[in-house]
Amino acid sequence: MKWSEFTWKQIEPYYESILQMPFITELSSGILPKEKFQFYMAQDSLYLEHFGRALALISARTYDIQDVLTFIRFAENSIVVENALHESYFKDFGVTERGIMQPVCHHYIHYLKSTAALDAVEIAMAAVLPCFWIYKEVGDHILEHYVNKKNPYQKWIDTYGGEEFAAAVQQAIEICDKIAENTTEDTRTRMTEAFITASRMEYLFWDAAYKTTLWI
């Protein structure tokens, strides 16, 4: 069994919880309150800037030149393309500024950046993978189970359920499987632990958006 197959099985309960959480079900049906999506978009914009930095750091530390190029492209897509998309969302949903990182966003992105900087690069790659993979699976799930042409969040759904994003996700999975196969058992275990931690943070990120979780 590939590392990715084994590791996904470890987070299936978290993934199922994500599909059932109010933020996702209400977004899917188009009834998510606008202010919750506004909060989410502002935090996600901040997240993506620093996620791109984590990806760039991984690209500088990895060994295979093709993986270097792939992670550079991931970083560019995160910072340039995704932020441009968020700017259009800001206009569509009346978001005037991003504000500051709130607790969950702050914790998640600092976990990823510290992992990218201080842990083995294999572990860092595993830590950033849930952001790719879970978003794709959620996007695919919504496209398969929800049909609402008047959904105000359809652009977001199309982005993460599209073929272009799916291709990038598959690349990220294949790289992790390749490096897992060629590393030690201890490192594979730590890769899985990092993947699980980041998957939990994905749940908490959406939960924080629904609850509008702020600093005290």
Side-chain angles (χ1 to χ4, degrees), residues 38-184:
Q38 289 173 323
F39 180 90
Y40 164 77
M41 291 308 306
Q43 291 298 295
D44 201 38
S45 179
L46 291 163
Y47 169 88
L48 285 167
E49 175 188 339
H50 292 275
F51 183 63
R53 295 176 188 273
L55 293 169
L57 183 53
I58 291 171
S59 75
R61 297 184 61 212
T62 194
Y63 317 115
D64 186 283
I65 191 63
Q66 292 304 315
D67 295 345
V68 172
L69 294 172
T70 298
F71 272 86
I72 287 175
R73 287 193 292 269
F74 288 163
E76 180 182 22
N77 184 69
S78 176
I79 294 172
V80 178
V81 178
E82 294 283 11
N83 277 343
L85 185 62
H86 279 80
E87 286 179 9
S88 71
Y89 283 137
F90 281 11
K91 183 182 296 183
D92 293 344
F93 291 95
V95 179
T96 56
E97 59 181 25
R98 299 192 299 177
I100 65 169
M101 279 190 192
Q102 297 299 339
V104 172
C105 180
H106 182 275
H107 178 58
Y108 191 6
I109 204 59
H110 279 76
Y111 167 71
L112 292 181
K113 290 200 296 184
S114 64
T115 302
L118 301 174
D119 285 319
V121 70
E122 295 90 345
I123 298 167
M125 287 180 175
V128 298
L129 184 57
C131 185
F132 288 94
W133 199 353
I134 290 177
Y135 263 70
K136 174 195 174 296
E137 295 297 329
V138 169
D140 288 347
H141 174 82
I142 296 172
L143 285 175
E144 182 178 352
H145 293 92
Y146 293 85
V147 178
N148 181 359
K149 295 181 179 180
K150 295 183 179 181
N151 190 333
Y153 308 116
Q154 193 62 45
K155 187 188 295 185
W156 184 94
I157 295 168
D158 291 340
T159 299
Y160 294 107
E163 292 182 5
E164 184 175 351
F165 185 65
V169 173
Q170 187 59 38
Q171 277 187 300
I173 293 171
E174 288 174 357
I175 289 173
C176 282
D177 279 334
K178 177 185 66 177
I179 63 171
E181 186 176 352
N182 291 290
T183 193
T184 65

Side-chain angles (χ1 to χ4, degrees), residues 184-196:
T184 65
E185 184 64 33
D186 179 66
T187 298
R188 280 192 292 273
T189 298
R190 295 177 65 194
M191 286 173 66
T192 298
E193 291 171 351
F195 187 92
I196 291 170

